[in-house]
Amino acid sequence: MIFLATDFGLAGPYVGQVKAILARRAPGVPAIDLFADLPAFRPKEAAYLLAAYAGALDPNDVLLAVVDPGVGGDRRPLMMRADDRWYVGPDNGLFELVRRRAKRAVCEAIAWRPARLSPSFHGRDLFAPVAARLALGETVAGDPATPMAQDWPDDLAAVVYVDRYGNAITGLRASALPEDAAIQIGGERLLRARTFSDRPLGEAFWYENANGLVEIAVNRGSAAAWFGLGPGAALQVETPG
Amino acid sequence: MIFLATDFGLAGPYVGQVKAILARRAPGVPAIDLFADLPAFRPKEAAYLLAAYAGALDPNDVLLAVVDPGVGGDRRPLMMRADDRWYVGPDNGLFELVRRRAKRAVCEAIAWRPARLSPSFHGRDLFAPVAARLALGETVAGDPATPMAQDWPDDLAAVVYVDRYGNAITGLRASALPEDAAIQIGGERLLRARTFSDRPLGEAFWYENANGLVEIAVNRGSAAAWFGLGPGAALQVETPG
Amino acid sequence: MIFLATDFGLAGPYVGQVKAILARRAPGVPAIDLFADLPAFRPKEAAYLLAAYAGALDPNDVLLAVVDPGVGGDRRPLMMRADDRWYVGPDNGLFELVRRRAKRAVCEAIAWRPARLSPSFHGRDLFAPVAARLALGETVAGDPATPMAQDWPDDLAAVVYVDRYGNAITGLRASALPEDAAIQIGGERLLRARTFSDRPLGEAFWYENANGLVEIAVNRGSAAAWFGLGPGAALQVETPG
């Protein structure tokens, strides 16, 4: 199975062009849209999302991820095998958190190049064919490589994604926080809840979302609108005692 | 075939995570996105849409529908077999109109539970595996159940969905109205047309849409913008004589 | 392979209903979303996009395209075989640029009609079944036809699409411009770049996008927001000497 996680947007031809390549080169392998709207131009925030949502991958599945403002420049194309899953994308930190949390991870710079490589769409021209081959169990030429170093924290006290309901997903793993931690944001102090329906209508809280991340939410309301949140917005964790 | 109708939004990882489960558990069964943007938190409006658009199902197809603000609370998970189609989702009225209009419908509370059930994402953890099994013709453990009673009308004189063009779909079946009925909305009185191109540019009208519902439209314009319409907006039906 | 290019919008049931028909009638044939958000009601701008993005088609692939404000009126349904690819949609100019640029193109008015044809959704009721049959190599009844004449230029000096990043795709082929051409827009004069990362952050430029079209962009910014651009916005090409 191939998972797509990009900042291409749902609209427009980009995801479709990538899927056409996958369907031609790896026919019968399902291509699943995980994110088409990763935070645009922000590999850092995206990296925390990917580490949490890559839990959907089974062994030998491939995650093709592209948030790549440096496309066509000198950043390297990367393939990483981590805990028996494949990760394909630009070497700009996108897989940094997946790598740190893996029991075992091996990175290679992709050496293979297509006959025609546009300077602005490596997702279609380079990463998609590589993902297709890896999904089929084929090998792709590469050179051992250490990914570009990133001085990012293990958990990020900031919003990394706002969903349709206005829930604000953060880069913090709930398991890294004490049960009774509070989140300070926009002058308010939010306590933990188990799920939406445990709180009165319109009340804000934080909870561990279905992929293990701290999420700021309002029961039947929009936390993003309430607190004015978007990707990159900082928050503080307050631990009692 | 499995149809998805949710309020998860097109963006973000929710639909993809559900489809990954379906692709793993019911490989080769097409999963079709019918709605990813049912009115958020509004099972009532969604119920009228589902009853009209479930016409796309053939016998043994499955409709997996989730508008579920009460997820993780005490509302029951439901599976319904109605006129040889399967419906899977929360017991909050989502399938109320499908059930009323069916020749024969049998409801069960889903008794099966997955090994891990998150309190906020039953779409992925519970409803998707159930939908996959039903699509494969397998059985799922359940208990006979009467769905929660809803005192909703058989046709809803309100907007239930606004599409990309700004057309406002209502909860009224056109077949329930006389041919010469008028719709009162925003101080205007709209007459029936057969289709867009029958009216001058910019003129508002109502018509029977391709799924049998009354729809308020403007030829090459946005009825929603013109009249300020969104899900829940009320209208009046005026029948001559 | 069947490619979909419509102005139906990503939201709502329209694309899904078309895909359900394709999945039933051409099971196993991949259906790829190329565009769900072609400029609404604007077959002219869409025609330049389709001509550029139809490059994704292989021989015998089918492009099902619908931007069809005249649906249900007297415009004819069309099927065109051009350079061994199939094009199916309304006769309103959508395929005009594909046709002009093809080495060989044959057009027919579709004579086949479904048992039930709604006046507002020929995409589902007529074009989808035709596309499915053509994708399977079957024949569809038709009458030789000359498409409606369009006095459109071979390249269009206007924006035809704005993508998620705010890049503004134009109807101009880069190959039709001298290497050192400048684009005048909103009082600014933009020079050519190879790709985003060749320019300083925030700088506007034009470049040949991955499908050969002139695209107006800002490195890590939104050209559409900067210049206030949307489909139809005009620009001037300035050629030196």
Side-chain angles (χ1 to χ4, degrees):
Chain A
M1 205 170 289
I2 300 171
F3 289 83
L4 301 178
T6 74
D7 70 348
F8 294 165
L10 294 134
Y14 309 125
V15 170
Q17 288 182 93
V18 166
K19 287 175 132 175
I21 299 293
L22 297 176
R24 286 199 207 288
R25 308 233 178 163
V29 175
I32 302 285
D33 294 300
L34 196 56
F35 284 95
D37 63 335
L38 288 172
F41 314 133
R42 291 176 173 266
K44 182 177 177 183
E45 281 80 4
Y48 293 87
L49 277 174
L50 292 183
Y53 287 86
L57 277 70
D58 274 357
N60 299 316
D61 283 350
V62 180
L63 177 64
L64 165 51
V66 185
V67 177
D68 195 12
V71 63
D74 56 9
R75 69 100 190 87
R76 296 173 303 180
L78 214 66
M79 56 185 173
M80 175 172 82
R81 188 155 172 90
D83 294 345
D84 300 323
R85 280 83 175 157
W86 284 108
Y87 298 84
V88 177
D91 178 19
N92 61 8
L94 261 185
F95 301 134
E96 174 69 14
L97 278 298
V98 173
R99 192 179 62 76
R100 284 194 208 168
R101 295 176 192 172
K103 290 198 186 67
R104 179 182 153 74
V106 177
C107 294
E108 288 185 288
I110 299 167
W112 176 83
R113 290 292 179 279
R116 285 194 310 181
L117 178 64
S118 69
S120 57
F121 199 1
H122 291 196
R124 176 191 69 185
D125 298 340
L126 196 157
F127 296 127
V130 167
R133 286 162 68 171
L134 295 174
L136 294 172
E138 298 173 11
T139 57
V140 173
D143 303 306
T146 305
M148 210 174 94
Q150 306 290 352
D151 63 347
W152 300 343
D154 285 340
D155 288 86
L156 186 70
V159 173
V160 295
Y161 188 79
V162 172
D163 76 9
R164 190 235 175 154
Y165 309 97
N167 301 325
I169 302 176
T170 75
L172 296 165
R173 286 168 295 180
S175 61
L177 267 59
E179 187 69 31
D180 56 356
I183 301 282
Q184 288 274 8
I185 195 155
E188 279 197 56
R189 187 167 170 277
L190 308 183
L191 299 179
R192 184 176 191 147
R194 190 184 56 94
T195 188
F196 295 79
S197 55
D198 287 2
R199 286 300 172 91
L201 288 190
E203 189 171 302
F205 61 93
W206 75 267
Y207 81 113
E208 174 173 354
N209 79 10
N211 283 68
L213 293 178
V214 168
E215 189 170 307
I216 297 166
V218 170
N219 188 17
R220 304 205 197 188
S222 166
W226 189 263
F227 295 109
L229 303 176
L235 50 88
Q236 283 78 45
V237 177
E238 191 182 298
T239 52
Chain B
M1 204 168 290
I2 300 171
F3 289 82
L4 302 178
T6 73
D7 70 348
F8 294 164
L10 294 134
Y14 309 126
V15 171
Q17 288 182 92
V18 167
K19 287 175 132 175
I21 299 294
L22 297 177
R24 286 199 207 289
R25 309 233 178 163
V29 175
I32 302 286
D33 294 300
L34 197 55
F35 284 96
D37 62 337
L38 288 172
F41 313 133
R42 290 176 174 267
K44 181 178 177 182
E45 281 80 3
Y48 293 86
L49 277 175
L50 292 183
Y53 287 86
L57 277 71
D58 273 357
N60 298 316
D61 283 349
V62 181
L63 176 64
L64 166 51
V66 186
V67 176
D68 195 13
V71 62
D74 57 7
R75 69 99 190 89
R76 294 172 305 179
L78 213 66
M79 56 187 173
M80 175 171 84
R81 188 155 173 90
D83 294 344
D84 300 321
R85 282 82 174 156
W86 283 108
Y87 299 83
V88 177
D91 178 18
N92 61 8
L94 261 184
F95 302 134
E96 174 69 15
L97 278 298
V98 173
R99 191 179 62 77
R100 283 194 209 168
R101 295 176 192 172
K103 289 198 186 67
R104 179 182 153 74
V106 177
C107 294
E108 289 185 287
I110 299 167
W112 176 83
R113 289 293 179 279
R116 286 193 310 181
L117 178 64
S118 69
S120 58
F121 199 1
H122 290 195
R124 176 191 68 184
D125 298 341
L126 196 157
F127 297 126
V130 168
R133 286 162 68 171
L134 296 174
L136 294 172
E138 298 173 11
T139 56
V140 173
D143 303 307
T146 305
M148 210 173 94
Q150 306 290 352
D151 62 347
W152 300 343
D154 285 341
D155 288 87
L156 186 70
V159 173
V160 295
Y161 188 79
V162 172
D163 76 9
R164 189 236 178 153
Y165 309 97
N167 301 324
I169 303 176
T170 76
L172 296 165
R173 285 168 295 180
S175 61
L177 267 58
E179 187 69 31
D180 55 357
I183 302 282
Q184 290 274 8
I185 195 156
E188 281 197 54
R189 188 167 169 278
L190 307 183
L191 299 180
R192 184 175 192 148
R194 191 184 56 95
T195 188
F196 295 80
S197 54
D198 287 1
R199 285 302 171 91
L201 289 190
E203 189 172 302
F205 59 94
W206 75 267
Y207 81 114
E208 175 174 355
N209 79 10
N211 284 68
L213 293 178
V214 169
E215 188 169 308
I216 297 166
V218 169
N219 188 16
R220 305 207 196 187
S222 166
W226 189 263
F227 295 108
L229 302 176
L235 50 88
Q236 283 78 43
V237 176
E238 192 181 298
T239 52
Chain C
M1 205 169 290
I2 300 171
F3 289 83
L4 302 178
T6 73
D7 70 347
F8 293 165
L10 294 134
Y14 308 125
V15 171
Q17 288 182 95
V18 167
K19 287 175 132 176
I21 299 294
L22 297 177
R24 286 198 207 290
R25 307 234 178 163
V29 176
I32 302 286
D33 294 299
L34 197 56
F35 284 96
D37 63 336
L38 288 172
F41 314 132
R42 290 175 174 267
K44 181 178 176 182
E45 281 80 4
Y48 292 87
L49 277 175
L50 292 183
Y53 287 85
L57 276 70
D58 274 358
N60 298 315
D61 283 350
V62 180
L63 177 64
L64 166 50
V66 185
V67 177
D68 195 13
V71 64
D74 57 8
R75 69 98 190 90
R76 296 172 303 180
L78 214 66
M79 55 186 174
M80 175 173 82
R81 188 155 173 90
D83 295 344
D84 299 323
R85 280 83 175 156
W86 284 109
Y87 298 83
V88 177
D91 178 19
N92 61 8
L94 261 185
F95 301 134
E96 174 70 14
L97 278 298
V98 172
R99 192 179 62 75
R100 284 194 209 168
R101 296 177 192 172
K103 290 199 187 66
R104 179 182 152 75
V106 177
C107 294
E108 289 185 287
I110 299 167
W112 176 83
R113 289 293 180 279
R116 285 195 310 182
L117 178 64
S118 69
S120 58
F121 199 1
H122 290 195
R124 177 191 67 184
D125 298 340
L126 196 158
F127 296 126
V130 168
R133 286 164 68 172
L134 295 174
L136 294 172
E138 298 172 12
T139 56
V140 174
D143 303 307
T146 305
M148 211 174 95
Q150 306 291 351
D151 62 347
W152 300 343
D154 286 340
D155 288 86
L156 186 70
V159 173
V160 295
Y161 188 79
V162 173
D163 76 9
R164 191 237 175 150
Y165 309 97
N167 301 324
I169 302 175
T170 75
L172 297 166
R173 287 167 295 179
S175 61
L177 267 58
E179 186 70 29
D180 55 357
I183 301 281
Q184 288 274 9
I185 195 155
E188 281 196 53
R189 188 167 170 278
L190 307 183
L191 299 180
R192 184 176 191 149
R194 190 184 55 97
T195 188
F196 296 80
S197 55
D198 287 1
R199 286 301 171 91
L201 289 191
E203 190 172 301
F205 60 94
W206 75 266
Y207 81 114
E208 175 174 355
N209 78 10
N211 284 67
L213 294 179
V214 169
E215 188 169 309
I216 297 166
V218 170
N219 188 17
R220 304 206 196 189
S222 166
W226 190 263
F227 296 108
L229 303 176
L235 50 89
Q236 283 78 43
V237 176
E238 191 183 298
T239 51

